[in-house]
Amino acid sequence: MAEERSVSIEVVYRGIFQKTLAQRICRSVVLAARKRGHTGTAFARYGDSPERNGVPAKQFAVVAADELELEASMAKYEPSVVDVSIAVDDTLVKGVESWAWYGRQPIWKPVRANGWLLVTSDKKPDEVLAQTDKAERPYTLGIVPGGASFAGLWVYKDDHTDFRVLGALAKILPQWIALDDAKAASLELAKGDQSAVASVQYGYDATTMRRVKDGEGTSGHEVLQFKKPGWTKMRPGVIVEARKPGERNPYYKKYGARTMRPVVNFDTCIKCTMCWLDCPDECFEVTPEGHYEVVYEACIGCGICAQVCPVKDCIVMVDELKFTDNKDKWQLWKTDHSKYNSWFEDMSGVSADPKKGASGSVPPNANPAANAATNPGADPAANPTTSAGGDE
Ligand code: SF4
Ligand code: SF4
């Protein structure tokens, strides 16, 4: 930290789906810090941030001891080093590609040595760390309880993720955000709703911290890397090459945008083509047997295929953090049915044999839009103080 003179915080979020949430977190940080006499500002990288559904994006809050210091900090525009990075969807720890030409980067990339990475998650710190790129410098991982909130989709529905995060920040940065100030700010933002104060306290109390040493984390994400040409190397004019039959654009991989991915039960598939027809990203390839397999490098995890598939549990959406690569799975089904079916059951929690019924609980709908509509409190059980929500 620039020796207690300023503090930089970034919020990494799913573009569009979590935009309002990110804004609210950044604004609440500044509001709480101002109550202590600090000064600060909240901003997006671009005022007209070119966001895309699900594609990682960032917003920032910079708080400083005085205006002069704030001005010096603001000269950075997009802080390349931050004290705290906040990921409001735990699948973002698999790496982010937020500005389209950097390529995939570790979630901790801008976090200074001994800084903090706060992740909203219903998983344990070690489970999240297992999917986070190997650390190149030590930091502290904080898990703020709660699932990924898509409360910022079009209409804001407050599930108090913002207040839980504010409570967690009061815990790690008490010199900038005092707990009492965080509570006062939340009360103001929630227009007097006392449950906001309880959520700040809950975030403060229930956030678990884990020190991460240099070298901890996974080195497995190298398989997710791919080369991008970079905009400076593009040919004159705007040239987007068409996809040739049987090929896919090597620079156009969208898996960084998804929080869930589909798994297919080839045994129950009736080859109706609905998934192939309706996938907005042409992710399905036809197998020699006439099945449809997902090309995971192209899938954005929208969940449409699972919704249009007429066969119950033939396509099931599964938490992205359960996967470590993008390998297609049809080859496994072809060579070893029972091994594939065990994999399907393990991943989906659904029996591969419909006669046997469900082997576990069915995961929630993967489509963020559907989540927002049917599950406004993304994980109400994780937060006893969550309000019922409502349109603002
Ligand atoms: S979730 Fe299904 S419909 Fe959506 S992009 Fe992936 S394969 Fe296509
Ligand atoms: S929609 Fe379902 S049943 Fe139809 S082809 Fe796709 S996976 Fe098979």
Side-chain angles (χ1 to χ4, degrees):
M1 187 176 322
E3 274 10 274
E4 309 295 320
R5 299 294 297 163
S6 70
V7 65
S8 299
I9 296 167
E10 68 168 13
V11 178
V12 191
Y13 64 101
R14 297 267 171 217
I16 307 291
F17 300 141
Q18 298 183 307
K19 184 176 181 175
T20 311
L21 173 63
Q23 272 173 350
R24 284 181 64 109
I25 291 171
C26 291
R27 286 176 186 166
S28 68
V29 164
V30 174
L31 185 61
R34 280 178 189 259
K35 291 188 183 299
R36 285 212 112 190
H38 300 309
T39 186
T41 186
F43 57 102
R45 185 167 182 264
Y46 295 116
D48 59 346
S49 182
E51 297 190 11
R52 300 289 179 269
N53 285 354
V55 174
K58 295 187 181 188
Q59 296 203 24
F60 305 92
V62 177
V63 171
D66 53 54
E67 292 291 339
L68 207 61
E69 187 65 39
L70 180 65
E71 208 172 308
S73 308
M74 288 302 297
K76 287 166 196 155
Y77 175 53
E78 176 198 343
S80 54
V81 178
V82 296
D83 302 289
V84 186
S85 181
I86 301 163
V88 283
D89 176 344
D90 60 12
T91 56
L92 289 163
V93 304
K94 289 182 87 170
V96 292
E97 186 208 347
S98 50
W99 309 133
W101 64 80
Y102 291 165
R104 195 194 67 87
Q105 295 191 328
I107 184 78
W108 45 254
K109 181 94 193 306
V111 177
R112 67 165 169 85
N114 298 311
W116 291 269
L117 169 62
L118 293 183
V119 183
T120 58
S121 180
D122 49 16
K123 298 184 176 62
K124 294 191 170 60
D126 281 357
E127 289 176 86
V128 173
L129 188 59
Q131 285 278 32
T132 309
D133 289 84
K134 194 156 74 173
E136 290 178 4
R137 52 192 173 274
Y139 65 91
T140 298
L141 171 65
I143 301 295
V144 184
S149 165
F150 291 101
L153 181 65
W154 312 129
V155 177
Y156 188 70
K157 288 184 185 296
D158 192 355
D159 63 6
H160 288 197
T161 299
D162 47 352
F163 301 136
R164 290 196 299 274
V165 168
L166 192 60
L169 286 168
K171 190 172 186 166
I172 63 176
L173 299 172
Q175 69 277 39
W176 293 104
I177 302 167
L179 183 59
D180 283 349
D181 293 336
K183 288 179 177 175
S186 72
L187 201 57
E188 216 171 300
L189 290 164
K191 301 188 177 94
D193 179 357
Q194 285 291 338
S195 68
V197 174
S199 286
V200 170
Q201 184 71 52
Y202 181 68
Y204 184 92
D205 293 335
T207 296
T208 48
M209 302 291 176
R210 189 217 191 272
R211 280 289 291 167
V212 179
K213 288 188 238 142
D214 206 359
E216 282 193 286
T218 179
S219 54
H221 290 344
E222 277 156 27
V223 296
L224 301 177
Q225 297 290 131
F226 62 95
K227 283 197 178 142
K228 305 195 81 172
W231 67 273
T232 54
K233 296 195 183 96
M234 280 183 192
R235 280 178 278 154
V238 180
I239 298 168
V240 180
E241 289 180 10
R243 185 188 149 199
K244 298 181 186 85
E247 286 182 12
R248 285 179 184 270
N249 187 323
Y251 308 126
Y252 199 48
K253 301 172 198 271
K254 291 169 281 180
Y255 48 82
R258 79 181 164 228
T259 56
M260 298 185 106
R261 71 165 75 177
V263 295
V264 182
N265 185 346
F266 295 112
D267 282 345
T268 58
C269 170
I270 57 169
K271 305 177 184 175
C272 70
T273 77
M274 289 301 290
C275 54
W276 179 81
L277 272 173
D278 282 337
C279 172
D281 287 279
E282 299 183 20
C283 295
F284 287 90
E285 296 283 5
V286 190
T287 71
E289 291 83 7
H291 290 110
Y292 295 86
E293 69 159 330
V294 185
V295 176
Y296 285 128
E297 285 204 333
C299 169
I300 56 167
C302 70
I304 287 173
C305 54
Q307 291 192 347
V308 298
C309 178
V311 181
K312 186 172 185 301
D313 295 337
C314 178
I315 299 181
V316 183
M317 299 302 292
V318 176
D319 183 351
E320 178 61 28
L321 278 196
K322 290 185 96 175
F323 303 84
T324 53
D325 61 37
N326 279 324
K327 282 187 197 138
D328 301 342
K329 286 290 169 189
W330 168 76
Q331 279 293 349
L332 177 60
W333 176 82
K334 201 180 161 195
T335 50
D336 192 337
H337 266 50
S338 70
K339 202 166 171 189
Y340 179 87
N341 286 347
S342 301
W343 175 85
F344 174 87
E345 291 183 349
D346 187 38
M347 285 298 175
S348 67
V350 170
S351 173
D353 180 354
K355 291 190 206 101
K356 287 193 196 149
S359 75
S361 60
V362 179
N365 196 312
N367 183 343
N371 263 339
T374 60
N375 188 18
D379 188 7
N383 179 8
T385 61
T386 296
S387 70
D391 299 353
E392 281 191 338

